[in-house]
Every structure is written in C-alpha cells, then in structure tokens.
Amino acid sequence: MAGFLDRAKEQAQRGLAQGKEKMEEVQAQRQGGDLLRRLGAAYYAEQRGSGSSAEVQQALSALEQHIAQHGDGFLRNA
C-alpha cells in the first residue's frame, strides 16, 4: 500500500510541476503580447505626432528583453 501511495504522490507532484510550467508559459506569452501592443501603440502615436521616438525605443527595448528571456513564441500566436 505504501508503494502505491508513494507513486500516486510522485505522479501528483509531477502533474503540479507541469501545470505550473504551463501557467508560466502562458503568462510569458500574455506579457509578450502586451509588450507588442505597447510597441505598436507607441509607434502609431509617434507617426500621428502625439508620441515620441523615445517611447518607441523604450517599448522596443522592453520587447527585445522579453524575447531574450522567454523567446519569441508569442509572435506566432499574435
């Protein structure tokens, strides 16, 4: 009986770890999408004359940092 419970506990822990990993992946994709929208909005504002190139550069830098840390997988889902 103890062996069964140990296996069940191990399987549950593995499931929790996989769930946590997937949740972090989804959060990173969501954050990447938000950064991409921020870049687009900054660029649009700059082109319309109500934004600055500094805002565009800030948004681009934040997006590039996110890509360096999490990859660019969110771009395929955008």
Side-chain angles (χ1 to χ4, degrees):
M1 184 71 166
F4 171 76
L5 292 176
D6 289 340
R7 284 192 307 271
K9 181 179 175 183
E10 182 181 312
Q11 189 173 14
Q13 288 174 337
R14 217 176 14 246
L16 285 173
Q18 288 173 342
K20 182 180 177 186
E21 184 178 309
K22 182 65 176 174
M23 187 176 85
E24 290 171 354
E25 180 182 318
V26 168
Q27 287 176 336
Q29 286 183 350
R30 216 175 263 156
Q31 184 182 21
D34 290 346
L35 290 169
L36 191 58
R37 280 188 288 285
R38 183 175 145 212
L39 174 60
Y43 178 76
Y44 180 77
E46 179 189 30
Q47 294 301 306
R48 300 278 302 176
S50 60
S52 69
S53 61
E55 290 170 338
V56 172
Q57 191 57 46
Q58 278 182 323
L60 181 60
S61 294
L63 182 62
E64 288 174 339
Q65 183 179 12
H66 179 82
I67 289 171
Q69 189 173 17
H70 300 285
D72 64 356
F74 69 93
L75 292 173
R76 292 174 197 75
N77 299 330

